Amino acid sequence: MGRETELKLALAEHGWRAFSRHPLLRQAVTAPQTHTLRNLYFDTPDFRLREERAALRLRRVGRRWLQTVKCASAASAGLSSRPEWEQPFTGQFDFSQVDDAALRRLLEGLRDRGLLAQVFETNFERREWRFEAGDGELLLMADRGMIEAAGRRDSISELELELAGAPIEALLDHADTLVRTLPLRAESRSKAQRGYALIEDKPCQPVRATRSPVDPEGGAQDAFRAVALDCIQHYQANEVGALQSDAPEFIHQMRVALRRLRSALRLFAPALPEGMAADLALPLRALAGDLGELRDRDVLQSELLAPVITHDAADHLHALDGALHATRQQVRDRVQKALQDGRQARLMMALLRALHELPPDGESNLRTLAHKRLARAHARMVDACRHAADGDIGALHALRIDIKRLRYAIEFFAPLLGPRKTRRAIGALMQAQEDLGFLNDLSQAGPRLLAAAGDDPDLLAAVALIARHHLPRYRRIVGDAPKLLKRLSRMPLPR
């Protein structure tokens, strides 16, 4: 059995010329080799292999065919490591070299029952460079071609860095060199995953954050690494949808993932190397800022304007909606470029390197850290409640941020806490965050609505109509604020 450790980077089509002239290529130990590869992927009619997180592929290289079996692994920021078994193909599937007994039995059983059939194929040209690194080599592969499945096609335009005896540091170093100047994006999906997506032809669905991956018996740095990788996966699971779809929820979930990661950096900062949290905070904030304006405009149209149009289909409301949509499209175009111009890849590489360079946990105590950080976040929220007692909108916005940070802290440390009290605390914080978030949405919307309306009296009338529609809820939240502040101030921390 071999183990394939690789980093996959999607390259924008306009970036191939710059890649072909990249100085890194001159450091290769041999001239690049070029192959035209045809790859046939096999599975059962009900996709049993995919269900078992395995892949079976035949690859034609020149006149030879190779059989490869792979086990899937989670990819974060494009980096994956998975076992694989590769051997010459002699005309029928032979799984005798697969030393995972359960997987071998499964494959042999499917083969013997005649259930394995081709489900899709990929055809691409691969150029391969080899670099000396440490006591081994590093491979750089540039793939351009197509995935074909069920009569549908999707383009392949990506770079792969793969270890061939080289240390992981060499892979990260070479990746850093590439992402500095090329329009790259860390790609979490394998070609096989993309092939299955073509077969099913289903639109992407937004993905929400999952349960905390923290091991209660582990150390603080291990906990941070698990949380950070989980946030990266959450971000990337929604990125494909954001690139392919105009649905607002993808952008929202990407922002949530980045906010959670920024919160994790603050939360675990005492257990991390000095300066690590600060070094990563700036690029995280920049990427979140790119997404923020688009999310605000999505909220403006879908949550503030759309309900008003449902009750009143007046022409001036539709005219205002059209003006807002035009501006939103410009913002979306900027975000689309930002997601593919290299910034995302540079951030992901910085995160991967920081996580890889984390020292062993040593004496770090996760439970002690959790107790101190939860108490600190709770104290900040209680103090924010005191500052918001006079009903100042700015103070209520500040309180909302502290509520959100406490909620994320409880969610991250949930495996260490009592489940019933944890669910109760998270539910209360989510409701408070939603109500105060509505006040923030209104304050953000006002200047944008007035800018869209300009001096047009009809559009200004539409803005006034929106304000009147939401005024009752605004008054209710502001009126209930004293009770909310009292409840939050007295809310116990789950233990």
Side-chain angles (χ1 to χ4, degrees):
M1 179 188 74
R3 176 163 289 273
E4 178 187 63
T5 300
E6 67 177 19
L7 177 72
K8 190 184 298 290
L9 299 165
L11 177 62
E13 279 294 336
H14 68 269
W16 281 104
R17 184 179 180 86
F19 169 73
S20 68
R21 298 178 175 180
H22 201 283
L24 178 65
L25 303 183
R26 295 196 290 271
Q27 299 176 23
V29 294
T30 59
Q33 296 184 349
T34 301
H35 305 284
T36 299
L37 303 179
R38 184 185 183 197
N39 305 276
L40 310 180
Y41 288 80
F42 291 77
D43 206 334
T44 64
D46 60 353
F47 302 146
R48 177 69 186 281
L49 290 184
R50 183 181 66 169
E51 181 182 331
E52 297 294 333
R53 296 176 58 78
L56 172 60
R57 182 190 72 198
L58 293 183
R59 166 172 287 175
R60 182 174 181 175
V61 183
R63 296 182 178 180
R64 297 185 306 132
W65 284 91
L66 294 175
Q67 171 191 300
T68 304
V69 175
K70 295 186 180 186
C71 289
S73 67
S76 292
L79 182 65
S80 63
S81 180
R82 55 193 172 193
E84 69 170 12
W85 298 265
E86 187 170 84
Q87 65 193 73
F89 180 67
T90 59
Q92 63 177 3
F93 290 123
D94 174 12
F95 302 117
S96 58
Q97 294 187 26
V98 177
D99 54 14
D100 182 314
L103 178 58
R104 184 178 65 252
R105 286 195 299 270
L106 170 65
L107 289 165
E108 290 176 342
L110 297 176
R111 176 199 62 194
D112 294 345
R113 284 180 286 159
L115 296 177
L116 294 173
Q118 181 184 332
V119 288
F120 60 89
E121 68 178 271
T122 65
N123 294 278
F124 55 90
E125 180 182 86
R126 165 168 288 178
R127 300 186 70 196
E128 180 181 301
W129 293 261
R130 306 181 78 88
F131 300 85
E132 290 182 347
D135 295 327
E137 288 186 326
L138 179 75
L139 310 181
L140 169 60
M141 293 159 286
D143 296 343
R144 296 184 79 179
M146 285 289 171
I147 303 171
E148 302 178 33
R152 289 178 284 273
R153 309 177 81 197
D154 193 11
S155 64
I156 296 171
S157 178
E158 60 191 30
L159 308 181
E160 290 183 9
L161 287 160
E162 182 176 335
L163 296 182
I168 185 69
E169 291 83 2
L171 185 151
L172 295 174
D173 289 342
H174 282 68
D176 281 342
T177 302
L178 292 169
V179 302
R180 284 186 202 130
T181 56
L182 296 175
L184 292 163
R185 179 177 57 81
E187 174 62 84
S188 61
R189 300 172 301 159
S190 67
K191 294 181 180 72
Q193 289 172 318
R194 295 173 62 192
Y196 282 114
L198 278 180
I199 293 173
E200 295 183 319
D201 194 28
K202 293 180 180 178
C204 291
Q205 296 298 319
V207 177
R208 295 179 177 273
T210 56
R211 293 181 179 179
S212 172
V214 167
D215 178 2
E217 305 306 319
Q221 290 175 348
D222 286 341
F224 171 74
R225 184 182 288 106
V227 167
L229 290 173
D230 187 62
C231 291
I232 293 172
Q233 290 172 10
H234 180 201
Y235 175 93
Q236 290 191 295
N238 289 282
E239 186 179 48
V240 174
L243 291 170
Q244 297 177 351
S245 165
D246 200 27
E249 186 63 16
F250 292 110
I251 294 294
H252 174 55
Q253 290 301 323
M254 291 166 68
R255 286 192 70 207
V256 170
L258 294 179
R259 285 202 305 260
R260 288 169 62 85
L261 183 50
R262 291 169 66 188
S263 292
L265 282 166
R266 283 189 293 266
L267 195 64
F268 286 92
L272 302 179
E274 185 176 358
M276 176 178 169
D279 289 344
L280 292 174
L282 187 60
L284 277 170
R285 189 180 304 117
L287 185 55
D290 289 333
L291 303 175
E293 185 180 358
L294 180 56
R295 174 57 184 168
D296 289 343
R297 291 190 175 279
D298 286 336
V299 169
L300 174 57
Q301 289 191 258
S302 63
E303 298 182 23
L304 298 181
L305 178 54
V308 183
I309 292 178
T310 300
H311 287 83
D312 187 339
D315 289 343
H316 54 291
L317 285 172
H318 285 287
L320 180 60
D321 187 39
L324 292 171
H325 179 77
T327 304
R328 179 197 175 276
Q329 188 59 47
Q330 294 174 358
V331 175
R332 184 176 186 273
D333 290 343
R334 291 202 302 271
V335 169
Q336 289 273 317
K337 291 179 181 178
L339 295 180
Q340 301 177 83
D341 66 2
R343 277 176 278 182
Q344 179 260 34
R346 290 191 287 275
L347 171 61
M348 294 301 171
M349 292 309 102
L351 287 167
L352 282 179
R353 184 177 292 279
L355 295 176
H356 173 72
E357 293 177 351
L358 273 179
D361 252 303
E363 300 298 320
S364 63
N365 189 305
L366 176 59
R367 293 184 182 275
T368 299
L369 176 73
H371 175 76
K372 290 181 178 179
R373 303 305 278 176
L374 284 171
R376 184 174 185 270
H378 183 264
R380 286 179 61 93
M381 184 193 71
V382 172
D383 187 57
C385 287
R386 286 196 293 269
H387 282 89
D390 61 357
D392 178 73
I393 297 299
L396 289 173
H397 292 340
L399 170 61
R400 179 182 61 88
I401 294 173
D402 286 318
I403 289 172
K404 183 164 47 182
R405 289 177 178 174
L406 176 59
R407 173 193 157 193
Y408 289 157
I410 293 174
E411 288 176 345
F412 291 147
F413 291 129
L416 287 74
L417 307 172
R420 181 177 299 179
K421 291 183 178 179
T422 296
R423 287 194 298 270
R424 189 179 305 158
I426 290 174
L429 293 172
M430 287 179 66
Q431 184 60 55
Q433 185 180 332
E434 181 179 343
D435 286 343
L436 296 180
F438 173 74
L439 300 184
N440 184 62
D441 291 341
L442 282 182
S443 68
Q444 295 286 331
R448 291 192 170 101
L449 287 170
L450 292 173
D455 297 328
D456 189 311
D458 289 336
L459 297 185
L460 289 171
V463 173
L465 191 58
I466 294 170
R468 286 198 299 272
H469 178 88
H470 293 289
L471 185 59
R473 183 182 178 189
Y474 175 87
R475 286 175 171 169
R476 177 184 64 77
I477 293 173
V478 172
D480 290 345
K483 295 179 182 178
L484 173 65
L485 299 179
K486 187 175 182 179
R487 287 197 303 271
L488 292 174
S489 297
R490 296 180 177 181
M491 187 190 81
L493 272 174
R495 302 290 183 187

